[in-house]
């Protein structure tokens, strides 16, 4: 699998069947290789551009950092921690996104394109915040 710039992403091909993805743009973890791949593919469609800035590893932990511009024009920075087991399979991925406005925008856009597939409660929903504030 490749990113929007044609480079191979450093974890998708090695996901364990029961891998877990956690992230700033998700209200709960996503489990399973196919679900994670589908979600990462959806994120890629929302990027106008993406530029890797760092990739490195310490033992079985790999670190990925990149900058992206969303199709909405917002700039985004992302950091990923990829945890592999002793066989090299990826068991867990944690992604953080900043700044907040870009992360919220990304989550809301994901809700629009894959919300029904994953459940609307997985992504940002402005009406939830309006209810919580009242």
């Amino acid at each position: 699998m490749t990113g929007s710039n044609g480079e191979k992403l450093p974890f998708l091909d090695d996901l364990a069947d029961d891998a877990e993805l956690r992230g700033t743009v998700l209200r709960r973890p996503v489990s399973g290789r196919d679900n994670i791949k589908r979600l990462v593919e959806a994120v890629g469609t929302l990027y106008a551009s993406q530029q890797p800035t760092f990739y490195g590893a310490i033992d079985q932990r790999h670190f990925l950092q990149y900058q992206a511009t969303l199709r909405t024009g917002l700039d985004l920075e992302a950091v990923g921690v990829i945890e592999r087991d002793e066989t090299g399979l990826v068991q867990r991925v944690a992604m953080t996104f900043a700044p907040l406005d870009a992360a919220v925008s990304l989550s809301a856009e994901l809700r629009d394109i894959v919300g029904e597939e994953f459940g609307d409660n997985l992504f940002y929903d402005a009406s939830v915040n309006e209810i919580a504030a009242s």
Side-chain angles (χ1 to χ4, degrees):
M1 212 163 231
T2 58
S4 59
N5 60 3
E7 293 181 21
K8 180 179 181 247
L9 294 175
F11 64 91
L12 288 180
D13 292 335
D14 301 331
L15 287 168
D17 289 340
D18 60 346
E20 180 181 83
L21 171 67
R22 294 175 178 261
T24 308
V25 300
L26 306 172
R27 291 188 181 275
R28 60 179 164 73
V30 170
S31 298
R33 176 193 304 128
D34 293 338
N35 288 333
I36 293 170
K37 283 185 174 186
R38 173 68 180 113
L39 191 54
V40 170
E41 288 170 357
V43 168
T45 68
L46 299 173
Y47 289 166
S49 67
Q50 180 181 9
Q51 177 64 44
T53 56
F54 178 80
Y55 182 75
I58 300 173
D59 298 324
Q60 293 168 313
R61 280 198 174 88
H62 296 240
F63 304 91
L64 166 70
Q65 186 174 8
Y66 65 86
Q67 296 176 336
T69 300
L70 299 176
R71 293 195 184 278
T72 61
L74 294 172
D75 290 327
L76 179 75
E77 295 180 11
V79 176
V81 178
I82 302 152
E83 298 179 29
R84 295 177 183 270
D85 65 17
E86 59 281 346
T87 69
L89 289 177
V90 173
Q91 293 293 328
R92 185 177 325 203
V93 178
M95 294 295 302
T96 60
F97 298 91
L100 182 59
D101 287 350
V104 168
S105 177
L106 180 59
S107 185
E109 289 183 69
L110 284 168
R111 181 178 183 268
D112 290 344
I113 61 174
V114 294
E116 287 185 29
E117 186 176 338
F118 285 96
D120 283 340
N121 64 343
L122 181 60
F123 305 105
Y124 175 78
D125 180 357
S127 65
V128 171
N129 291 339
E130 290 168 9
I131 293 168
S134 59

